[in-house]
Amino acid sequence: MRCLILAFLTGVCWMQTRSELPSLADILCLMAAAVLLAVLRRHAALLLAAALFGASWASASAHMALADALPHQKEGVDVAITGTVDSLPHAFEGGTRFNFRVERFFPHNAAVPNRIALSWYGRQEAPVASTLPEPGERWQLVVRLQRPHGNANPHGFDYEAWLLAQGIRATGYVRPAGARNVRLDTFVPRPSHVVERARSALRRHILQQLDGKPYAGVIVALVIGDQRGIEQSDWDVFNRTGISHLVSISGLHVTMVAGLGAWLMSALWRRSFFLEGAALPLLLPAQKAAAITGAVVAMLYVLLAGFGVPAQRTFYMLAVVALALCSGRIVTLSQVLCLALGVVVLLDPWAVLAPGFWLSFGAVAVILYANMGRVRSERGWRRSLAMAARTQYAVTVGLVPLTMFLFSQVSLVSPLANTVAIPVISLLVTPLALVGALLPAPLAGWVLGLAHGAVALLAEGLSWLSSGPLAIWNAPAPQGWIFALAVLGTAWMLAPRGWPHRWAGLAAWLPMLTQLPSAPDDGAFTVTAFDVGQGMALLVETHRHRLLYDAGPQYAPGQDAAGRILLPYLRGRGIGQLDALLVSHSDLDHAGGAQTLLKGSTVAQVYSSLPAGHPVVGSAATHTRCEAGQGWTWDGVRFEMLGPTPDSYLDAGLKANARSCVLRVSGKGGAILLAADIEAAQEAQLLQSAPERLRADVLLAPHHGSGTSSTAAFLGAVQPAVSIFQVGHRNRYRHPKKEIYARYGELGVHRIRTDRSGAVTLGFGDTLTITEYRAQRRRYWYAP
C-alpha cells in the first residue's frame, strides 16, 4: 500500500512539471492502461498503474480547473457581478483583498469564472465606507478582471500555480461605481461561510484586545492560521533562526489540541460509568471515544487554521488512527503517514508544488526513520528528554538537504532557537492564545497580553540570535545529483545505532554546502533582466564581480521587488554580496526595492542620481553620484557611465527621469546599453556628447517603451539587434506604446517583453545567447 501511494505521488509530481496537458482522449488511454496493469496484479505492474493513475488524475483535475477561464476579450472590461465573499478579507494600506464566489454576472456573455480574487482600493464610496466586507456576505459589485498572471523568475514564487491550486481563475479590482456596489445580504448560510465568519470574529477579537501591539499578527496566526498580519522584518528573523514553522498552526499544535480534547473525553467517558443509567464505556470503549473526539477536535481546529498542508497532514493522520482503533485494525506509523499523504494529494494535486508539503511530510518521515529500530532503555523524564533531544537532532539534520534545495540556505542557529522556541510557542503561547481568543473582555485582554508578552521576549532573543554573520549558511540551490547524494548521506547519519561510521555521511553534504555561484569567463558577462512588473532591475555579472542596475518597484508598503524577487534569486544562486548597486533615479519603480536589498544583502558600493537626503544614500556603505565620464573595468568587461551630466544636478526643476544614470557595459561578446527612463531630450544630448559610444547589441528600452523616448535618431545610433522591454502585465501606462514597439520592429530589432517572457538572461560570450524563463520552464498553467 505504501509503495502504491508513493507511485501515485510520483505520477502527480511528473504531471506538474509538464508544459502541456495531455488531451482528454490521452487521459482516458492512461487510465485504461492503469486498469489493465492493475489486473495483472504483479508488483511492478501495480506500481506503474498507480503512477499512471496519479498522472491521469492530476491531468483531469487540471483540465477541469483550467476550463473555468476568463475569455481574453473580457480582460479589462467592466463587469457587474453578484456573489459572496468567500475568504477571510485582508486589509492593507489603501484597501482590502478577498476572494469572491460569483453567482451571477452581467453582461451574460462575460463568462466570469466561479471564484475570483478581488482588491478594493480607496474605500471612499458612501455605501461601504463604514465597514469592510465580511465572509459570507452577498454583494453586487462592478469589477474589472484579468486572467491569472504573475511574475516569472528563477527561484521565485509561482503566483499562477498558487492561484490554480486555490481555484482562483481571475484576479481584478472593484471599480468605483457608486450605488452599484452594494451589500445585498449580511450572511449567506453555507458551511465554508460559517467557518470563515468564525475566523473573522476571532481575528477581530484578538486585534481589539491587542490593539497596537507589534506581535498581534503572530497571535492571530497561531489561532486561525492567518499569517498576513506578520511584518516582513519579523519573518526575516523567524526564517534566519529556523522557527518560521512554529509561527503558524503546525502539526505539533494540532496534535496538542487534539490530544487535549481526547484526554478530556477519555476522563469524562470513563467516569460516566458511575452515573446512574449512563454506562457509556459498555457501549463504546473510552479509548475509541477519545480517538474519535481527538479527530473531530483536530478537524475543527484545522478548519479554523485555513486548511494548510501541515494541519491537513496531521488531521488525516489522526483520522486514520481513529478509524484503525474503531475498526480494530493495526496500522504502523509509516502506513498512517502514507495514507495521509495520499489523501492530501488526491484532494489537492497541486499541493506538491508547495514547499510546506515536502517540509511537513519530510519532517515526520525523518522522525520515523530516525527512531526506527531503536531500543529505549531510559525511563521516566530521562526517556522523555532523550526522545525530545533525539527528535530535534533528527529533524534539524534530516531537513538540511531539503531546506537547501528549496531555499538555498539553512539556519545554523536553528537547533538553539528551536530548543527555546518550541516549548515557549507550543506549551505556553499557543494555549494562552487559544484560551484568550475564546474568553470575553477583559479576561481575554489579560490572557492574550501574557501570550503577546512571551512572544515579544522570544522575538527579542531571536533577533539577537539572527543578527550574527554566521546565523545562516548560503549556497547555490543544489543540482539533482548533489541533492540525492546529500539525502543518502543524511540517511546514513540518521541510521540506527550500530550502523558503521555514521559520521561519514557528513561527507555527502560537502558538494551541497561548498558549491560556488556560476560565473562567466574573463571578458564575458551575463545580464539577467528580471520580471518585476512595471519597473526595472537587471543583474550584470562578470567573472568575479556583480552589479545590480535598479532594484525594482515597491508594490505596497513593506512589499517590493527586492523582497519578493531579487533576494530569493540571489539566495538561489548563492550570491551573498554585490560589488555595486546602481539606482538610476528616484522613481519608485526603480528605487522601490533598494532599501530592502541593502538590508538583506551586502553591497560594497552604491551609485545613483538620488539627492543627498534620500534614505538609500543614507543606508549605503559608500555612495557615489552618477556622472557622465565615469568608468571602470571588471574582469575584462568595461563599464561606462554616459549620463547624467554634472550640470543636470544644478537644475532643481529637472525631472528625476532626466537625471537617469545611463550605463554601457561591453565585453568580448558585445555590449548592452541600460538607459533607464531617459526621454527624447536626454537621447538628443547623448547623440551630441557620445554618439560613438551608443552602439550596442542589446538596448534596454528607455522608459519602458514610452511614447516620450526611443526616437528614431537614437535607435539609429544604437543599432540594437535585441531590445528588452521591462514592463508590467497590462500596466496602467500601456507601456510599451504601440507606435514605439512597432518602431523597433520596423528596424528589425528582436523585441523581448518581460511580462510575456518572464526573466530574460543574456550571455555575452563568444556569441550572444538569450534565455527566456517562461519558455525554458514552461508549465501548463502559464497564461498564453
Side-chain angles (χ1 to χ4, degrees):
M1 182 270 294
R2 288 166 291 191
C3 292
L4 293 178
I5 291 176
L6 293 177
F8 174 80
L9 172 66
T10 302
V12 171
C13 291
W14 178 81
M15 185 51 60
Q16 305 305 4
T17 64
R18 299 300 91 197
S19 60
E20 294 181 359
L21 288 174
S23 65
L24 294 178
D26 291 338
I27 293 175
L28 291 176
C29 291
L30 287 175
M31 297 190 73
V35 172
L36 290 175
L37 288 169
V39 171
L40 296 177
R41 300 186 64 84
R42 295 184 180 276
H43 186 68
L46 288 174
L47 291 178
L48 183 56
L52 290 176
F53 180 69
S56 58
W57 174 255
S59 302
S61 300
H63 271 291
M64 289 187 290
L66 294 175
D68 187 24
L70 180 74
H72 284 284
Q73 63 270 24
K74 295 303 178 181
E75 289 189 294
V77 177
D78 287 356
V79 180
I81 60 174
T82 299
T84 58
V85 179
D86 196 42
S87 72
L88 190 65
H90 171 60
F92 62 95
E93 187 174 338
T96 185
R97 295 189 180 95
F98 53 91
N99 296 338
F100 197 76
R101 179 79 62 179
V102 179
E103 297 173 335
R104 294 186 299 276
F105 48 84
F106 182 83
H108 298 299
N109 64 346
V112 177
N114 291 325
R115 199 161 188 251
I116 60 178
L118 293 176
S119 297
W120 198 332
Y121 299 103
R123 312 306 313 282
Q124 279 91 24
E125 298 180 51
V128 295
S130 60
T131 183
L132 295 173
E134 282 289 325
E137 292 180 344
R138 177 177 281 123
W139 283 79
Q140 174 185 291
L141 300 171
V142 177
V143 300
R144 184 168 290 181
L145 301 174
Q146 68 176 21
R147 295 162 68 92
H149 190 280
N151 303 123
N153 297 278
H155 310 289
F157 175 66
D158 194 333
Y159 182 58
E160 293 175 47
W162 182 84
L163 288 175
L164 181 63
Q166 300 298 310
I168 297 171
R169 301 310 305 140
T171 63
Y173 60 95
V174 179
R175 296 281 289 161
R180 296 176 67 189
N181 292 331
V182 294
R183 182 191 293 109
L184 302 179
D185 294 300
T186 57
F187 186 71
V188 178
R190 289 175 188 160
S192 62
H193 292 167
V194 172
V195 172
E196 294 301 320
R197 183 63 69 92
R199 298 180 72 211
S200 178
L202 288 172
R203 182 178 67 177
R204 183 168 54 250
H205 180 58
I206 293 169
L207 294 178
Q208 287 174 349
Q209 301 304 314
L210 298 177
D211 186 28
K213 298 293 180 64
Y215 298 104
V218 175
I219 303 301
V220 170
L222 291 172
V223 175
I224 64 169
D226 181 17
Q227 302 175 337
R228 294 172 294 183
I230 301 177
E231 297 292 336
Q232 184 59 47
S233 58
D234 294 329
W235 275 123
D236 293 339
V237 171
F238 299 151
N239 289 330
R240 286 179 66 84
T241 53
I243 66 110
S244 56
H245 64 102
L246 294 174
V247 191
S248 62
I249 300 180
S250 64
L252 179 62
H253 301 153
V254 174
T255 303
M256 180 183 65
V257 173
L260 179 60
W263 175 78
L264 287 173
M265 176 56 71
S266 178
L268 294 174
W269 201 266
R270 293 177 190 278
R271 284 161 179 74
S272 70
F273 184 88
F274 300 100
L275 299 177
E276 185 177 353
L280 297 179
L282 297 179
L283 302 176
L284 182 68
Q287 186 183 27
K288 294 183 178 181
I292 294 171
T293 302
V296 171
V297 171
M299 180 185 69
L300 295 176
Y301 191 30
V302 168
L303 288 174
L304 284 178
F307 224 60
V309 170
Q312 283 186 56
R313 180 257 303 162
T314 307
F315 164 63
Y316 294 139
M317 290 181 70
L318 292 173
V320 170
V321 171
L323 288 173
L325 282 172
C326 291
S327 62
R329 299 194 63 175
I330 299 176
V331 292
T332 64
L333 288 177
S334 60
Q335 289 175 325
V336 171
L337 179 64
C338 283
L339 281 171
L341 184 148
V343 173
V344 169
V345 177
L346 189 67
L347 296 179
D348 180 10
W350 299 282
V352 298
L353 300 174
F357 172 87
W358 300 102
L359 291 172
S360 176
F361 282 101
V364 178
V366 165
I367 293 172
L368 293 179
Y369 174 76
N371 287 279
M372 178 180 61
R374 292 189 181 271
V375 179
R376 297 176 176 85
S377 58
E378 306 94 341
R379 293 291 184 268
W381 66 268
R382 290 185 179 86
R383 174 183 176 183
S384 299
L385 185 61
M387 285 187 63
R390 187 161 49 243
T391 299
Q392 182 60 48
Y393 164 77
V395 172
T396 301
V397 172
L399 292 184
V400 166
L402 185 57
T403 303
M404 289 296 298
F405 184 77
L406 295 173
F407 306 113
S408 305
Q409 66 177 27
V410 63
S411 174
L412 299 181
V413 298
S414 173
L416 177 59
N418 276 278
T419 299
V420 178
I422 287 176
V424 171
I425 295 294
S426 301
L427 302 180
L428 178 62
V429 175
T430 299
L432 287 174
L434 290 171
V435 172
L438 299 176
L439 289 175
L443 293 175
W446 301 338
V447 176
L448 291 172
L450 287 174
H452 182 275
V455 172
L457 287 174
L458 178 64
E460 186 174 347
L462 293 175
S463 180
W464 173 82
L465 197 61
S466 69
S467 60
L470 298 179
I472 58 173
W473 181 274
N474 286 104
Q479 301 175 40
W481 71 270
I482 294 178
F483 172 69
L485 180 64
V487 170
L488 289 175
T490 303
W492 193 281
M493 283 189 284
L494 296 179
R497 185 178 301 171
W499 193 268
H501 307 296
R502 287 185 296 170
W503 54 268
L506 189 61
W509 282 12
L510 293 179
M512 176 181 67
L513 298 178
T514 58
Q515 290 185 99
L516 295 175
S518 59
D521 297 330
D522 278 325
F525 66 99
T526 61
V527 178
T528 302
F530 296 100
D531 179 13
V532 294
Q534 187 64 20
M536 280 188 187
L538 301 96
L539 180 67
V540 183
E541 300 179 72
T542 67
H543 185 59
R544 288 182 293 272
H545 296 81
R546 296 173 181 86
L547 176 145
L548 184 69
Y549 184 87
D550 280 334
Q554 181 185 58
Y555 304 118
Q559 300 182 34
D560 52 50
R564 288 188 187 180
I565 298 167
L566 303 182
L567 290 175
Y569 176 85
L570 294 177
R571 281 196 298 267
R573 290 280 314 283
I575 300 173
Q577 176 175 335
L578 295 174
D579 297 280
L581 166 66
L582 193 158
V583 182
S584 64
H585 61 294
S586 59
D587 285 358
L588 278 181
D589 59 332
H590 296 252
Q595 283 284 74
T596 300
L597 185 84
L598 290 172
K599 292 178 182 177
S601 180
T602 302
V603 180
Q605 171 76 42
V606 175
Y607 295 91
S608 80
S609 63
L610 303 173
H614 196 281
V616 172
V617 175
S619 301
T622 305
H623 178 264
T624 301
R625 193 170 71 175
C626 297
E627 291 184 5
Q630 294 170 335
W632 64 92
T633 300
W634 284 344
D635 310 318
V637 178
R638 183 65 181 165
F639 293 76
E640 300 173 274
M641 203 80 71
L642 305 185
T645 62
D647 294 341
S648 65
Y649 291 99
L650 303 177
D651 187 354
L654 205 61
K655 292 194 307 182
N657 286 352
R659 215 175 275 124
S660 293
C661 303
V662 180
L663 182 69
R664 183 178 186 269
V665 186
S666 57
K668 66 180 183 181
I672 183 171
L673 184 63
L674 306 176
D677 278 0
I678 62 171
E679 298 182 342
Q682 290 73 51
E683 291 178 355
Q685 289 177 358
L686 289 172
L687 286 170
Q688 291 180 352
S689 62
E692 72 286 351
R693 287 184 290 169
L694 290 179
R695 175 73 182 87
D697 302 277
V698 180
L699 172 64
L700 177 65
H703 204 180
H704 317 282
S706 75
T708 60
S709 57
S710 298
T711 60
F714 180 75
L715 293 181
V718 178
Q719 300 180 32
V722 178
S723 62
I724 306 293
F725 294 85
Q726 278 196 304
V727 292
H729 178 66
R730 299 184 56 81
N731 65 87
R732 58 176 177 155
Y733 306 103
R734 300 184 184 276
H735 291 161
K737 295 295 184 181
K738 290 183 179 180
E739 62 274 17
I740 300 300
Y741 194 69
R743 182 178 298 165
Y744 281 85
E746 292 166 359
L747 294 174
V749 180
H750 177 50
R751 299 161 295 179
I752 303 176
R753 299 173 49 151
T754 55
D755 61 334
R756 296 175 180 174
S757 299
V760 180
T761 301
L762 306 165
F764 293 82
D766 295 332
T767 59
L768 175 62
T769 61
I770 303 173
T771 304
E772 301 176 22
Y773 182 71
R774 282 186 180 268
Q776 180 192 44
R777 189 187 175 276
R778 180 70 188 164
R779 294 294 183 267
Y780 66 81
W781 56 80
Y782 280 167

